[in-house]
Amino acid sequence: MTIKTQFWQVKGDSKAQGEADQAAIAAAAKLLRAGGTIAFPTETVYGLGADARQTAAVESVFAAKGRPSDNPLIVHIAKEEQLQTLVQPYGDTEKALMRRFWPGPLTLVLPALEGAVSPRVTAGLNTVAVRMPDHEVALRLITESGCPVAAPSANRSGRPSPTLAEHVREDLDGLIDGIVDGGPTGVGLESTVVLVEAQGVVRILRPGGITPAQLREVAPTVLLDESLEAAAAPRSPGMKYTHYAPRGSMLLVHGEPDNVRAYIAEAVRAAKEQGEITGVLTYDEHAASYDADVVISCGSLMKLETAAQGLYVALREFDARDVQRIWAEACSSEGIGLALMNRLEKAAGHQIIHV
Ligand code: TXA
Ligand code: MG
């Protein structure tokens, strides 16, 4: 079933309180209140929002994305006061993390207040994931709607997350009520999801825009959840689960830079001989080394923030150009590199080689 998707363009600049922007945000907020599904920009990626308290609205989000219903959603808020209506009392470490990183790309998993949001949001868990996005348009939309806004990334399930409104349109036009276009997102990868355990230990469930080193400035003990370690291990047949995936088959190549380049160059040559459309995902510093059909640099190795911003655009570009085989160069796992490598591993369906 197709529905008419409305589009609004807003500047997203706090100084540009244009009447058109205000009217667009008011219209989108009204649809949210009425149980609609609205895609909007955040500082990480575009989200697909619905009122977290309305089960039918939340179900529309799952349906539009084609998302498995056992994967819970993040609730987005605009003010810390909104938290009291959603969660039970929490500790000092949580408070310190909020003070330091909100608004910003950090999601906290907190004990839920029973009945505060639809059980479809939490997938029946007794916790709820909450964040306050650092984006003027998102904050205005949430405030104006008066709703806690449940919002997964605004892509079809299994596709790369959207960093442009155009990506949302590609995936969800005709499936959702509206798209607020606020230009490109900032970080380019999703928020860091953490859980605070006894003694203020911070467990990273998903690496993202806030790095472990940044978290350590607030909480001395920061752990990576085991599920993240396991994800790095070579997959066994049948265990493959892809996420953020391009349509072509992708292999992530680790190793000394010279070995990596030699390995990929030879693999590309062999695949071309077989008549396959080849692609290489690399960095500015190495892009000239390859003669695959499609060579894309996601950014600079000297500034991995740029590679984080460019990753999902690059993955979508391989799809747009019908690339069948993709080789991706691994990068350092320092800083934002941890989140970048996590997304590359997932995009590759855990097909990883060390050379
Ligand atoms: O940057 C972001 O976080 C973006 C923007 C739109 O805010 N949102 C996003 O949502 O990435 P989504 O649905 O694609 O990812 C939500 C993540 C999933 O890994 C989910 O398993 C986890 O948060 N999550 C949600 N609720 C949870 C809970 N109660 N306990 C543990 N993990 C939870
Ligand atoms: Mg997602």
Side-chain angles (χ1 to χ4, degrees), residues 45 65 67 71 152-155 159-162 190 206 243-244 312:
V45 300
K65 281 184 60 91
R67 176 175 174 119
N71 195 358
S153 50
N155 50 286
R159 290 269 286 156
S161 293
E190 300 82 351
R206 177 178 74 179
H243 227 101
Y244 316 105
Y312 290 140

Side-chain angles (χ1 to χ4, degrees), residues 66-143:
R67 176 175 174 119
S69 61
D70 60 355
N71 195 358
L73 308 183
I74 295 170
V75 176
H76 296 65
I77 61 171
K79 299 214 165 53
E80 228 169 286
E81 296 91 85
Q82 264 182 299
L83 261 186
Q84 277 121 55
T85 65
L86 299 171
V87 305
Q88 296 177 32
Y90 44 83
D92 289 341
T93 303
E94 287 92 330
K95 282 180 196 152
L97 289 168
M98 290 171 198
R99 216 174 301 125
R100 172 76 169 76
F101 298 114
W102 280 6
L106 180 72
T107 296
L108 287 153
V109 173
L110 297 163
L113 261 191
E114 220 183 298
V117 298
S118 164
R120 304 286 277 120
V121 169
T122 56
L125 298 172
N126 56 11
T127 54
V128 61
V130 186
R131 86 177 193 96
M132 188 188 292
D134 187 14
H135 195 291
E136 190 61 28
V137 172
L139 293 172
R140 283 170 67 187
L141 178 65
I142 297 164
T143 302

Side-chain angles (χ1 to χ4, degrees), residues 162-213:
T163 55
L164 295 170
E166 190 50 38
H167 299 160
V168 181
R169 196 195 283 247
E170 269 171 35
D171 282 14
L172 298 175
D173 191 11
L175 298 173
I176 62 177
D177 293 302
I179 301 175
V180 181
D181 180 352
T185 58
V187 179
L189 300 178
E190 300 82 351
S191 61
T192 303
V193 179
V194 301
L195 175 68
V196 179
E197 299 179 332
Q199 268 85 50
V201 170
V202 174
R203 180 177 293 275
I204 299 179
L205 303 179
R206 177 178 74 179
I210 300 294
T211 65

Side-chain angles (χ1 to χ4, degrees), residues 226-235 254 341-342 345 350 352 354:
E226 299 88 53
S227 63
L228 298 169
E229 314 281 352
R235 68 189 175 86
H254 280 265
M341 283 300 297
N342 171 264
E345 284 162 6
H350 304 300
I352 300 167
H354 294 261

